[in-house]
Amino acid sequence: MPLLFPATPPLPLCRAARASRRATASVASAARNSSSSSASFDAAAFEAERLRLDAAARAGMESTAAAAEAGPRAWKWAIRKRVWDALEAEGIARDPRPVHHRIPNFDGAPAAADALGRLDIFQNSHCVKVNPDTPQKQVRFLTLSGDKKLLTPQPRLRTGFFSVMDSQMIPVGCIPEACTSVGAAKYGRPIGLDESLKVDLIVIGSVAVDPSSGARLGKGEGFAELEYGMLRYMGAIDDSTMIVTTVHDKQLVDDIPVEKLLVHDVPVDIICTPTQVIFTKTTIPKPQGIYWEKLSPEKLGQIRILRELKQRIEQETGTMLPCGPSEKLPPTAQRKQRWRRRRRDFCMLLLTVSFTQ
């Protein structure tokens, strides 16, 4: 029992492409330089884009869940739906609503975070990696207000990688703002794969977790597993790095079949709820990195930092990494990719005209 705690383009187009790449690099450099000045950060634009991407991603997850009903992952979606439904039906769910296809926010999330904050493993940590979801906002606050270094992923890894913050980087009185996605982008320092750091504790969001085994289900996108795998590659964590989740007691389940978990699924060592702390004593092996044979070309295409990592490993080893089976993109993502292609082609046409005049 657990303890309770292409073909080569014509010459003008090549020039246009190079000019486009230089312009893109210039914009990226300017964005990095401006990130050091919170006054130049457009919080409203950032939040609007984050919400747009969030809505598109959740629509995609709905399509994925519907398609998986007859597949080998149907059991995962059944458990997720049961938990989401219960949180809503019993008045436990908190904004953002509905909690379906999210790491659900819940009544008592700050109390669960405070229980985590009282643990020795948290108090003795110098660097804590915390997911960017709403129910873990109090954990991020405790990390920063406790003079610890906070490592938080940029939402869905679509806009970058990780941001790192500590209280010295944040203006007086702005720690609550820094605990939001907007605040992390505004005050945090983006890092890359070459960053040297040691993460002492990982705090992860969950939809459902089994206290008897430490088995965990997220919302179904796999970003927690990718973040974990990249930190393993960087040498920032190892098997001894403790993984904690904060959830409501209604998110505790007893029917996650360990034998059906995949090699990249991340288990948890400690569960904190508003009423108890559970040490799971999990024996589920922790992932050793990124399992490229499980990663679809579509997922790889969505996340720039993953493509960079894959290219780096292939250059270092001289070996092409495997790729997982293709997955059908949801209609929202397909429309988005078509729009991006049209915008790219139009921009390239304008550049070509300008270079040939």
Side-chain angles (χ1 to χ4, degrees):
M1 290 294 292
L3 297 177
L4 290 181
F5 288 93
T8 304
L11 183 58
L13 193 55
C14 287
R15 290 177 183 153
R18 287 196 295 270
S20 176
R21 286 195 294 269
R22 286 196 296 270
T24 300
S26 176
V27 170
S29 176
R32 285 193 296 270
N33 292 334
S34 67
S35 67
S36 62
S37 173
S38 60
S40 63
F41 180 77
D42 191 336
F46 178 90
E47 181 67 359
E49 178 67 0
R50 185 189 71 81
L51 291 174
R52 185 184 68 80
L53 291 173
D54 181 69
R58 286 189 292 108
M61 282 190 286
E62 289 180 16
S63 299
T64 300
E69 286 182 357
R73 293 182 295 173
W75 65 271
K76 286 187 173 183
W77 288 104
I79 294 173
R80 291 182 181 115
K81 185 178 186 303
R82 187 182 75 220
V83 171
W84 286 324
D85 287 348
L87 294 178
E88 290 284 358
E90 298 182 32
I92 298 168
R94 293 294 181 267
D95 289 335
R97 306 274 298 276
V99 295
H100 293 74
H101 303 289
R102 305 182 194 269
I103 296 298
N105 193 17
F106 56 90
D107 181 35
D114 290 342
L116 167 58
R118 291 189 290 268
L119 297 179
D120 288 343
I121 185 65
F122 179 82
Q123 294 181 2
N124 295 332
S125 294
H126 300 287
C127 179
V128 184
K129 183 262 182 187
V130 187
N131 60 296
D133 300 282
T134 303
Q136 283 71 47
K137 183 178 179 180
Q138 177 72 1
V139 180
R140 298 190 291 276
F141 177 81
L142 293 174
T143 301
L144 290 173
S145 60
D147 291 327
K148 304 179 189 299
K149 184 180 294 185
L150 171 66
L151 183 69
T152 189
Q154 297 173 11
R156 291 187 166 86
L157 298 178
R158 299 275 169 81
T159 56
F161 188 31
F162 288 97
S163 293
V164 65
M165 285 186 288
D166 60 47
S167 60
Q168 302 301 313
M169 302 167 62
I170 304 168
V172 174
C174 292
I175 287 181
E177 180 189 10
C179 297
T180 66
S181 293
V182 171
K186 183 176 181 180
Y187 300 116
R189 176 176 64 85
I191 67 169
L193 291 166
D194 293 319
E195 185 83 8
S196 177
L197 78 163
K198 181 182 182 298
V199 174
D200 301 304
L201 181 67
I202 292 176
V203 181
I204 193 170
S206 303
V207 172
V209 62
D210 190 333
S212 68
S213 65
R216 164 200 172 270
L217 297 181
K219 60 181 179 287
E221 287 189 301
F223 286 106
E225 288 77 13
L226 293 174
E227 294 159 11
Y228 186 90
M230 284 186 280
L231 288 174
R232 288 294 294 241
Y233 170 82
M234 295 168 66
I237 59 174
D238 56 30
D239 281 339
S240 68
T241 307
M242 299 289 277
I243 304 172
V244 188
T245 191
T246 59
V247 295
H248 193 274
D249 294 88
K250 287 290 183 179
Q251 292 174 256
L252 302 179
V253 301
D254 61 4
D255 58 344
I256 299 180
V258 173
E259 70 277 5
K260 290 187 178 182
L261 294 177
L262 302 177
V263 67
H264 58 262
D265 286 326
V266 178
V268 298
D269 299 291
I270 306 174
I271 305 168
C272 295
T273 80
T275 67
Q276 59 185 321
V277 176
I278 304 169
F279 288 87
T280 68
K281 296 185 177 181
T282 184
T283 59
I284 301 172
K286 292 176 179 175
Q288 300 300 297
I290 293 174
Y291 296 88
W292 300 98
E293 70 277 10
K294 305 290 185 182
L295 195 60
S296 74
E298 290 79 12
K299 179 69 80 174
L300 191 65
Q302 289 176 340
I303 305 173
R304 175 184 54 79
I305 193 70
L306 268 182
R307 298 194 299 274
E308 291 180 5
L309 176 56
K310 185 173 186 288
Q311 183 179 33
R312 175 180 296 196
I313 295 174
E314 289 174 342
Q315 290 174 345
E316 290 175 351
T317 63
T319 303
M320 294 296 291
L321 292 171
C323 193
S326 180
E327 59 180 338
K328 183 179 180 180
L329 287 172
T332 50
Q334 292 174 352
R335 288 196 298 270
K336 187 176 177 181
Q337 286 200 345
R338 286 197 297 269
W339 177 81
R340 283 178 172 168
R341 284 196 296 268
R342 287 196 297 268
R343 183 180 65 176
R344 179 198 64 201
D345 293 344
F346 179 69
C347 291
M348 296 300 287
L349 177 61
L350 289 178
L351 285 167
T352 301
V353 171
S354 68
F355 274 102
T356 55
Q357 284 179 342

